[in-house]
Amino acid sequence: MAQDEHPTKPVPSGAWDTHHHIFEPDRFPFAEGRHFTPSRASLEQLKEFEKSIGVDHVCIAHGLSYGPNCTSLLHYLGSFNGAARGICVLDLETVTDELLDEYHAAGVRSVRLDFFRFKAMNDVEIQTELITKTAGRLARWGKPNWSIQIQQPNLKYWPRLRQAINASPIPVVVDHFALIGGSSFLANDKSSIVQNDSYLPEEDRAGLKTLCQTLQEGNLWIKLSAPYRCSDLDPGFVDLKWLVRLFVDANPKRVVWGSDWPHTQRHKDRVGKSSTSEEPFLKVDDKGWIEAMSRMMSAEEWQLMWVENPNTLYDNAP
């Protein structure tokens, strides 16, 4: 064992998977204008997957391919008898307080912001406007009941995002390592393994510092999820080890784990392809990644990430 590695650890009892999807278009049709069309991934397959890795609690992320119609999410939450949590998608122009009350009673505790729909992936002003409007709409539920979930790839945006997040009355969660590419990913070279931020442009290094400061300040959370969106070095994704440590060291009480099952295609792999053509899922060694990740953390940090932190974020689900 390398001197800087912790021992391998099992997934602890009470563990959460805080980010995954269910796609059953034969039961719940996808929305028009979606940015991609996933293959079928059923509720039964999800349950089998979670059991195989030792997860007890799930937080279902409503697929953006369904748009803001969350009929499927409510159906799936009902199948867990109140023990699951959900992340919805909202149309702020039409959603009523009565519908939000229904969502809350069903176990919904977070809102995904669809930056694709609003052409906001590369526009920080639209991003911050969506965060601010959504937070204002959900403020009546207060902390820690609801949160906002975002996914965006621009490190240089974090000084501006920090302002909006710290002003938000509810927490904000950023997905998938904040989409920070590991050295192998950015260099498109599996031999390129750098365990610090030196390979990032100066503006990105400054943005990453601000992201970590925002984590420390406490209203931002981060999902250590979907490492294949940031690294080509599966299953251990060793060029992300420094990022795992950076985020955990910044605030071990603000990191959670997510599988991103059933592993939809990476954004860069969709360029030039039809959004209505069914795409296959990626093959990911989830158990291999979990084992490798366990060696990057202490036992206390591991327990926090899997159990205590998601219990706090998702309102202490049973």
Side-chain angles (χ1 to χ4, degrees):
M1 183 177 71
Q3 190 173 8
D4 61 342
E5 285 188 341
H6 297 280
T8 301
K9 295 172 282 297
V11 174
S13 176
W16 283 75
D17 182 351
T18 69
H19 195 104
H20 52 79
H21 311 285
I22 304 170
F23 301 117
E24 295 182 322
D26 50 319
R27 304 177 70 183
F28 302 101
F30 293 136
E32 296 294 330
R34 59 192 178 275
H35 70 279
F36 78 102
T37 300
S39 300
R40 192 176 196 273
S42 71
L43 172 63
E44 290 73 22
Q45 289 172 317
L46 170 71
K47 289 181 176 180
E48 290 174 4
F49 167 73
E50 302 295 4
K51 183 178 180 181
S52 75
I53 61 173
V55 161
D56 296 316
H57 302 294
V58 296
C59 187
I60 306 167
H62 182 65
L64 296 180
S65 296
Y66 284 114
N69 183 339
C70 292
T71 304
S72 62
L73 177 63
L74 297 181
H75 171 80
Y76 297 133
L77 287 172
S79 72
F80 287 92
N81 298 316
R85 289 295 185 246
I87 305 167
C88 69
V89 176
L90 297 179
D91 182 344
L92 292 180
E93 300 301 320
T94 61
V95 68
T96 63
D97 282 355
E98 290 75 19
L99 183 59
L100 290 173
D101 283 336
E102 179 184 347
Y103 284 179
H104 188 87
V108 175
R109 291 296 184 273
S110 192
V111 178
R112 297 185 77 185
L113 299 189
D114 189 350
F115 286 168
F116 293 100
R117 175 188 172 195
F118 292 97
K119 297 180 173 55
M121 287 295 281
N122 297 297
D123 189 322
V124 70
E125 294 307 319
I126 299 178
Q127 290 181 15
T128 54
E129 180 182 3
L130 288 169
I131 291 170
T132 300
K133 284 185 175 180
T134 305
R137 188 70 172 79
L138 299 175
R140 60 168 285 195
W141 282 272
K143 296 181 181 180
N145 292 333
W146 282 61
S147 60
I148 292 170
Q149 182 172 297
I150 65 171
Q151 180 183 157
Q152 72 89 27
N154 299 286
L155 276 170
K156 64 183 180 182
Y157 290 176
W158 279 98
R160 181 72 182 89
L161 289 170
R162 179 189 185 190
Q163 298 173 22
I165 290 167
N166 285 343
S168 170
I170 60 175
V172 175
V173 186
V174 60
D175 293 342
H176 309 335
F177 285 87
L179 294 179
I180 299 168
S183 52
S184 71
F185 189 82
L186 294 184
N188 195 27
D189 179 4
K190 291 191 175 184
S191 67
S192 177
I193 303 175
V194 180
Q195 293 295 342
N196 54 50
D197 65 2
S198 62
Y199 65 92
L200 296 173
E202 183 176 353
E203 189 175 29
D204 284 353
R205 292 200 300 272
L208 179 56
K209 182 178 179 180
T210 303
L211 189 163
C212 290
Q213 289 173 333
T214 316
L215 279 174
Q216 291 169 348
E217 289 157 348
N219 210 34
L220 177 69
W221 296 65
I222 191 163
K223 289 186 180 180
L224 303 188
S225 54
Y228 47 87
R229 299 190 184 281
C230 306
S231 170
D232 291 325
L233 300 180
D234 56 310
F237 303 105
V238 294
D239 58 332
L240 299 182
K241 179 180 179 180
W242 74 275
L243 274 174
V244 171
R245 288 305 330 161
L246 187 72
F247 296 142
V248 172
D249 288 339
N251 195 337
K253 294 185 177 181
R254 290 295 180 267
V255 295
V256 292
W257 184 86
S259 65
D260 199 37
W261 185 93
H263 311 307
T264 57
Q265 297 281 329
R266 301 181 299 185
H267 303 310
K268 70 177 185 178
D269 297 329
R270 294 184 181 133
V271 176
K273 297 180 181 178
S274 170
S275 62
T276 58
S277 297
E278 183 177 286
E279 64 177 39
F281 298 123
L282 301 174
K283 294 183 179 179
V284 176
D285 183 355
D286 293 280
K287 291 182 179 178
W289 163 235
I290 290 170
E291 180 177 323
M293 196 179 191
S294 79
R295 295 191 291 270
M296 302 176 189
M297 298 186 192
S298 70
E300 181 181 1
E301 292 164 346
W302 192 241
Q303 179 75 14
L304 282 169
M305 180 187 72
W306 282 103
V307 182
E308 275 78 7
N309 293 349
N311 277 342
T312 297
L313 182 62
Y314 297 115
D315 192 25
N316 297 299

